[in-house]
Each structure stands twice: as C-alpha cells, then as structure tokens.
C-alpha cells in the first residue's frame, strides 16, 4: 500500500528500500519476511496519533521503534507494516532537582538522560548494557534492567507516568508526578514492558536518584560458579545491599582477554564484580570482603573510581567480546536466587550435551543470567535444543524466560509454558481493550 | 436471598445480624444501606472460588474483606451483597532467607509477617500505620504505604506475585518468584491497588529486605511548615536517602500532648522526625543535621533505639490522639515534593476559610499529606467544602486524591477530575476483562 492519505499529512517519512531495510531489524538477528511499506519519522505526538489512527482505520500493523537496540525481536517489521520511528522525539523536557524527576520524550538516549541528571547531582538508575545507544522509550517497552538494578530497581521502578497513544489513536496520560498515588489501576506499570503492544509511549515522567557519594568495588575470583554464587548469597544474607553483583564464567573471561589482551582468565575460573555505594559504601564493603574471602581464591577491593570504572567497563565488554566469535543468541533467563548456582551448572551441562558453545555472565544479585549461545557453533537443531533446554530449566525452577530483554518474537514459543493459558488469555483480552484493531506491534510480546 | 446453594458447600458462614453488621463496615465511617445477605469465612481457596463463581452465576456483589481497617470505604457492604472474609486465610506459608522472600495467605496481619521475617534478619518493609491490625491482603488491595516507604517503596514494590480469583471464579497466578522478569504484562501491579475490583487475592509472594544494621534519628522543630519542608528538600537535594521523614503540625502536636501529657507543642510549631538507616546511617545523619540546623529552631539526634522507638511511637500516636476530639475524615492527598509546603499552607487556609478544624501530618519525604478533618467541627456543608477544596488543590498542583489509602467509596466523586474520562473508560473496560459479571466489589475504587 502507498499510504498516501497518511504521508501527505506528515513532515518526514520514507519508502526508500535502504531506509526500510535499516528500520526493519533490531539487534536480535531476526530477519522479517519482506520490507515494511513505510517508515514514519515522528516529529511530534500528532504524527504518532495520526499514524496510529490511520493504521487502525486501514488495519495496517504499526511497529514502534526507538534505537533498534532490542535483542528479542520486539522491533522487527516485515512486509505490510508501518514502522513508527520515535527516535526524533528526543527532548529532555524537564529535570527537577527538588523533585528528583525528569520528563522526557521517548527517543532520548538513556545515557544522555543519565548525563543530564548528573549535572543536578542525580542519576537515572536503570543502566542496561545498551544505555549508550538505547532509548528511554525502548527501555520502557522492555522494562530494561541493568547492573545497578539489584539495588535501585528496573525501568518500571523508575517510571512514574507515561503519555501513550492507544491503538485507536487516542492519547492518554497514566500515572502522576507524585512519588505515591493509588487513584485508579496501575496502567503505567501495565504499559511498561508491554513492548509497544498496548500503546505507543510518547512521553514519560521518570524518578531520578541521588548520585552516590561513594562507591566501593571488589573483584574476586572463585574456583567454581557455586562458590561465586555462594559468596553473593552470603553477602545478601548478611544484610548487605550491593549495587552491582556481576558474575562472569571462564569462557567469558577468555573471550574478554582475547579481545583486550588482558589476563583475567588466568587469575581464576569465575569472576565476580561486586560494588557497594552510598554513605556506608566502605563499611559495607569491609563486611562483604570478610564474607567473600573464605569462598574466593582471591579478592581485591578498591575505592579508586578509575579502577572501578575499568572493572565495570570490562564487564560491559563481555558481550562485544563474545560477538567476535560469531553470531550470538542472547538469552536472558532469571531464576530464584537460591537456584542460580544450579542454573549455571545446568547451562554448562546443556552446552556439553549439545556441543553448543555457550558463554555465561549474570546479574548474580538478582538471579538474572545471560547465557550467550554461539549460533553457528553446532548444527542448528542442536542450537535449538540447547536454547529450549535453557528455557525449560528456567521455568522448571520457578524462573522466567526473560529478566530484562522482553519476549519480542524470539521467546514466543515458550510463552504459554511460563504464563499458562488462562493468564495468556487475560493478556489477549487486555490487549483488545487498549488496541481493539490489533494493529500495535502484533505478534510481539504476547504472541 | 438465602444463598443456600452456596452455604451448603461451605464450612463457615453466618447470617447473624450482629456478625453481618460487624463485617458491613470498615474504619472509614461510611454507613452502607442495609445489611449484607451473608458473610463467608473462607477457609481455603476453594471457598473463595466457590463463592465468587456462585456470585457471578447469581449476579450478587461480593465484597472481599481482610481486617476491615481501611479508611476509604473499600470494604463496606450493604444490602444484597455477600461479604467474603479472608481473615481466616492467615498462614505464613514460607519465608526464605536465601531468597529474601515470603509466601503468605492474604489474612496474615502485616506486623506478624514483619516479626516472622525479623527472625531471619529480614523485614517486610511496607509499614502502614495500621500494620498491627491490617492484613497483607488489605495492604495489597490499597497498595498501602507507610513511614518507611520513602526509602523502601510501597506495597506494590514488595509484591512479586499474587494468586487471585477472578470474577468468574477462575484462579490465576501472576508474577513470579524471581526478582526480575518481563514475560507478559505486569498483571501483578495491576491487581495491587485495585481494591478487590479485579480479583480476590488469595496468596502473595513478597520481597523482604535486610534489617538495617543501624538507624539514626533526628527530631527537629521549626517555626513554620515551610521551614520544615525546606529542610526535607535540602536533605534530599544533598543526596541523602532518609528512611523516614514525618512532619507534624502544631494542631497535631497539641492533640498528642493532650493525649499523653507530653510537651511537644511547647517546643516548636512544626515537628519533623527524620531517620537514616543502613551502614551509613550515622554518616548520613551527620550531614542531615548540618543541612537541617540552619532551618530549624532546634534539632537533636540519637542512635539510641529506645529513644528512636519512642519518637516513632509518638508519630504513630497522632491519629488516635486526634480521634479523641471526635469523628474524623482521614484525607490522604499526595503532591509533587516541590508543592508540599504550599499545600500545607493551603490546607491551613481552607481550614480558616471554612471554620473546619483540620490537623495535618505528612510523610514529607514523598509529598503524602494526611489532613485529618474533624467531621463535626463545623456544619456539614462547610466540612464538605473543606474536603472538596483539599482535593481540588491536590489535583491543581499535579497531585492525587490518595497516596496510600485508596479511593474506596469516599473519593469516587473526584475520580474523573483526576483521571480524566478516557482513562476512566480504560479502567472500566479492564475491569470487564477480569470481572465480566461486574460482581467484584462493585462501586468501589473506579466507581
């Protein structure tokens, strides 16, 4: 379709095949069938409403898009769709230091908001690995997590209010500018994590947090993943509240060393990066070190911000380092904290049984693992078997398919196994309330 | 109706008028018209499903009930209704110290859970003033807050998963046992705060937090509410994260002194109770004291737990002390933090203009005020004017009718003014998804 009735009312759009190809994919590796009909570069909320209303009237699927940095296929768009690119709505409308809130448009890059907040002594706590390239709108769509969320919460915990365009083009505002409020249902939390299937987020009011006055960092090595997880559990049982607790397995350490010439993998089997922050950072770290030492083969602590920044950068380098080895499937299971050690072991067993290369790093403090599957390291059916086994394990131990990346299209096959049919049916009926024509990102998130 | 087809299948129920009268009201002061038909004392989830399914089939409203400690009328039940009393489902099913979670039935008294968690070095952070008498199920229904939620979040932040019986009697489980998870929509947050209008919560998985190793407490007096609020703002701007920040006005101090023979009201106009906790409690309090001192007429700090406990008890005594003066309307507005001082002033102006006696205390750290209106202190139309003016002010400054008590029946008249008709319409359609027959607590929360 040419959609001329739509495009004549818009300032910016394209049907150029190269542009369409660019906006048809995200970082999931999913290849949609065919190219979208059109990409709309929204310049204001009117453009969004106009596009969605047109799509509803003509029964055309709309795929909202931020930076395209998603890894579950939530933003892939095939033939017969309109891509609604929100990256141009990128103003930080307001930062209020006395209220510790920010009002932003959805296309703001996450790291840019964090930097702008820092000028006020504040920060935007959720810090997905993609923060330098992903948008707030995308983070809201997937309820993005990150390293700091073990102490400071995920995206949903930071979103006070959203403006969203529903499936008929109506603009609604949910939530409020206050830190507390119980008038009405929590539609804000419902929209966060809905992957663009309930509404197109066109604005958000976000909670900011104080920049911590002090941060202490431990780097520890362990002989086994069990020991490393036991250390994290012991730290949390002791009443400590780490702000970061990241685990990297041997394969991941090797990959990082190969990429940057370091020697992490020679220093131990499993690496744990643990941070504490705030006024009690050093006192808390002193206790953490005591707790970790008997379980570790080595542990070092520092309050030097440069050393800490290098260690965090090393952790953030894990995925790019693995990606040098070939195409990856980025898994994202989360399990109850008490099942984390056995889950790391289970993933290793799955890798051994299928012959698939799998690297593991984890937000260990909240039981969220990223098994990174090297997609071409074994025959496709073995890779499929490995991925299925990982999901089945997660569900079997009371966990979830996805801790912070979303379902997109990649995890749809396991959705019913996790949610159950009655709950999935509720989802479909809720979607119909927000999007009666079924045109908002159909086939994503809830299948 | 006799409902014999229902009662013959139940172990425990009553049609005794005294029992029915007792379960027909809560602490809101709302008097429903007539008595309920029946009260069901649920002994297990089957009783709940059976009752709701029967009610749906016979189109009889069901009013879920915990301890009846609500103050907005969410649990009042009039003629032609069935009260579903969940207070007998009061087992703490599990507390896991390694995962820091609890699994509970809805009738568990909030303070009992907190005590049980303490045996594991943990606590249940949300601490509504009613914690000693209210139930977890009731707290979930209203998304209850409390003193500690300025640092540790409200009930919604502590609820990981719920089991709920929908309006057709179906049992569903939402959420998960993991700390993170983005599979599907956030139905858990949707059920929290829905005041029994979407489902009857029959079980919950709750997040626990470490007991703080140390707490520091400041008690400060100020010449004006503006100064007290300025002190809280300055503390938060400085990057401090108080765990309690409670403001009490002069009228409230007089009431407390009259009740317990103390001398608070002679020591200053406005009182602020501020606490910090964790490993940095004392360091944080030292900075807080520096920040507060220039604004206060006096400030004292302590780390003595007994002194701190007495100060917190004094704060908690505010409402009972005011209630000695007569029937009260407990308001619960929340405003953006930057509008708190002017809101305290506005409430005083409203009291002066209407001749109604209003006491104010506030969770100042999150902008949540409780103007306590003495209902018989002026003619009814003046009291109505005062209450309306308070709500109108809250909405005008970007605030909300209710920060933590819920809408119940008392705040329904102002619902549309806050939410707007399109959003209210979404609420009604969501309710129809969960409760097609419209029998779950009809007329509450969303009108």
């Amino acid at each position: 379709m040419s959609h001329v009735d739509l495009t004549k009312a818009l300032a910016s759009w394209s049907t150029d095949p190269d542009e369409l190809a660019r906006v048809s994919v995200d970082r999931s590796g999913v290849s949609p069938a065919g190219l979208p009909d059109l990409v709309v570069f929204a310049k204001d909320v009117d453009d969004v409403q106009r596009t969605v209303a047109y799509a509803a009237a003509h029964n055309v699927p709309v795929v909202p898009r931020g930076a395209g940095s998603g890894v579950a296929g939530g933003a892939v768009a095939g033939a017969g769709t309109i891509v609604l690119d929100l990256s141009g709505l990128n103003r930080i409308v307001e930062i209020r230091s006395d209220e510790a809130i920010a009002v932003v448009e959805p296309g703001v890059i996450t790291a840019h908001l964090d930097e702008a907040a820092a000028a006020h002594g504040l920060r935007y706590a959720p810090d997905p690995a993609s923060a330098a390239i992903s948008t707030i709108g995308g983070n809201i769509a997937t309820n993005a997590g990150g390293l700091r969320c073990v102490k400071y919460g995920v995206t949903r915990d930071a979103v006070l209010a959203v403006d969203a365009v529903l499936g008929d083009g109506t603009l609604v505002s949910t939530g409020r500018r206050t830190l507390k409020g119980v008038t009405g249902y929590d539609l804000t939390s419902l929209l966060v994590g809905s992957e663009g299937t309930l509404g197109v987020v066109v604005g958000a009011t976000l909670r900011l947090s104080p920049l911590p006055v002090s941060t202490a960092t431990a780097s520890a090595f362990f002989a086994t993943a069990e020991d490393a997880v036991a250390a994290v559990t012991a730290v949390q049982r002791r009443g400590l509240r780490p702000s970061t607790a990241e685990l990297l397995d041997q394969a991941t350490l090797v990959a990082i060393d190969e990429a940057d010439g370091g020697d992490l993998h020679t220093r131990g089997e499993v690496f744990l990066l643990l941070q504490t922050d705030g006024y009690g950072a050093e006192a808390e770290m002193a206790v953490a070190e005591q707790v970790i030492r008997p379980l570790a083969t080595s542990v070092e602590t520092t309050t030097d911000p440069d050393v800490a920044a290098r260690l965090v950068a090393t952790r953030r380098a894990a995925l790019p380092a693995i990606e040098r080895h070939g195409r990856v499937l980025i898994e994202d299971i989360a399990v109850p904290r008490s099942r984390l050690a056995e889950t790391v072991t289970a993933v290793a067993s799955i890798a051994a049984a299928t012959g698939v290369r799998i690297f593991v790093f984890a937000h260990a403090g909240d039981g969220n693992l990223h098994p990174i599957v090297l997609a071409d390291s074994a025959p496709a059916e073995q890779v499929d078997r490995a991925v299925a086994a990982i999901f089945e394990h997660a569900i079997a131990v009371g966990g979830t398919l996805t801790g912070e990346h979303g379902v997109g299209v990649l995890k749809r096959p396991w959705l019913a196994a996790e949610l159950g049919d009655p709950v999935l049916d509720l989802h479909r009926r809720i979607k119909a309330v927000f999007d009666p024509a079924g045109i908002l990102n159909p086939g994503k998130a809830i299948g």
Side-chain angles (χ1 to χ4, degrees), chain A:
Chain A
M1 279 177 79
S2 75
H3 307 305
V4 67
D5 286 345
L6 171 62
T7 54
K8 69 185 180 191
L10 296 171
S12 184
W13 50 274
S14 178
T15 53
D16 175 76
D18 290 343
E19 276 290 62
L20 294 177
R22 180 181 70 79
V23 299
S24 70
V25 294
D26 57 17
R27 292 184 65 224
S28 63
V30 174
S31 298
L35 286 183
D37 290 352
L38 173 73
V39 52
V40 174
F41 301 107
K43 296 298 172 197
D44 55 28
V45 174
D46 277 353
D47 283 349
V48 177
Q49 290 189 264
R50 194 175 285 126
T51 302
V52 174
Y54 169 90
H58 296 80
N59 207 27
V60 182
V62 172
V63 181
R65 178 181 184 84
S69 59
V71 292
V76 300
T81 64
I82 295 174
V83 174
L84 179 50
D85 186 322
L86 299 149
S87 61
L89 297 179
N90 61 357
R91 285 186 315 138
I92 297 175
V93 178
E94 184 183 7
I95 292 183
R96 282 291 293 251
S97 59
D98 54 350
E99 295 181 9
I101 64 172
V103 179
V104 301
E105 293 182 339
V108 170
I109 300 291
T110 309
H112 294 178
L113 173 61
D114 199 32
E115 285 154 23
H120 299 264
L122 296 166
R123 69 177 179 187
Y124 178 62
D127 62 336
S130 61
I133 54 166
S134 62
T135 64
I136 294 292
N139 292 178
I140 290 174
T142 58
N143 188 22
L147 275 60
R148 303 194 284 231
C149 66
V150 60
K151 181 168 179 180
Y152 292 100
V154 293
T155 298
R156 185 175 283 126
D157 300 304
V159 181
L160 295 172
V162 298
D163 299 324
V165 174
L166 306 184
D168 62 356
T170 311
L171 176 66
V172 296
S173 297
T174 71
R176 51 190 69 78
R177 203 183 167 96
T178 59
L179 298 176
K180 290 163 75 179
V182 292
T183 304
Y185 302 148
D186 188 1
L187 303 188
T188 306
S189 290
L190 195 65
L191 285 160
V192 176
S194 66
E195 302 189 39
T197 63
L198 297 179
V200 180
V201 172
V202 294
T205 303
L206 305 170
R207 187 197 289 259
L208 303 173
S209 335
L211 276 170
V213 289
S214 177
T215 300
T217 302
S219 50
F221 288 90
F222 299 84
T224 65
E226 286 77 1
D227 288 347
V229 171
V232 175
T233 303
V235 162
Q236 292 181 316
R237 264 185 195 267
R238 187 61 184 264
L240 304 171
R241 305 190 71 206
S243 54
T244 300
E246 298 290 312
L247 180 154
L248 288 78
D249 77 351
Q250 179 65 200
T252 303
L253 296 178
V254 170
I256 292 172
D257 288 342
E258 285 172 359
D260 72 2
D263 64 352
L264 287 173
H265 79 282
T266 66
R267 295 165 60 195
E269 276 295 307
V270 177
F271 177 63
L272 177 69
L273 172 67
L274 190 111
Q275 295 190 299
T276 56
D277 69 6
Y279 281 84
E282 288 181 61
E284 219 170 334
M285 184 53 79
V287 179
E289 191 182 352
Q290 279 174 27
V291 168
I292 294 170
R293 190 167 295 286
L295 293 156
T297 53
S298 72
V299 53
E300 286 173 32
T301 66
T302 181
T303 54
D304 182 326
D306 295 330
V307 176
R310 278 199 297 277
L311 286 163
V312 171
T314 298
R315 157 62 186 86
R316 291 196 187 274
L319 183 58
I322 296 166
E323 285 175 326
R324 289 160 40 107
H325 291 269
R327 192 166 63 86
V328 297
L329 303 171
I330 302 170
E331 304 309 340
D332 173 43
I333 58 173
V335 297
R337 267 161 37 183
S338 68
R339 313 301 290 266
L340 180 57
E342 70 186 272
T343 301
V344 176
T345 306
V347 172
S349 301
I350 291 165
T354 56
V356 176
R357 278 188 76 185
I358 306 178
F359 305 73
V360 172
F361 50 91
H363 307 302
D366 39 32
N368 186 193
L369 268 82
H370 295 304
I372 309 298
V373 176
L374 215 52
D376 302 316
S377 62
E381 61 272 23
Q382 292 301 87
V383 171
D384 291 349
R385 258 186 65 203
V387 168
I390 290 170
F391 289 148
E392 283 155 15
H393 172 86
I395 293 171
V397 300
T400 177
L401 303 171
T402 172
E404 56 183 17
H405 292 169
V407 169
V409 295
L410 280 180
K411 288 155 198 160
R412 280 181 314 186
W414 293 273
L415 200 57
E418 179 174 341
L419 297 180
D421 288 326
V423 170
L424 200 48
D425 179 56
L426 268 184
H427 280 72
R428 295 195 179 114
R429 290 190 283 141
I430 291 169
K431 165 134 174 103
V433 167
F434 283 76
D435 176 24
I439 50 109
L440 291 178
N441 218 8
K444 313 291 175 59
I446 65 163

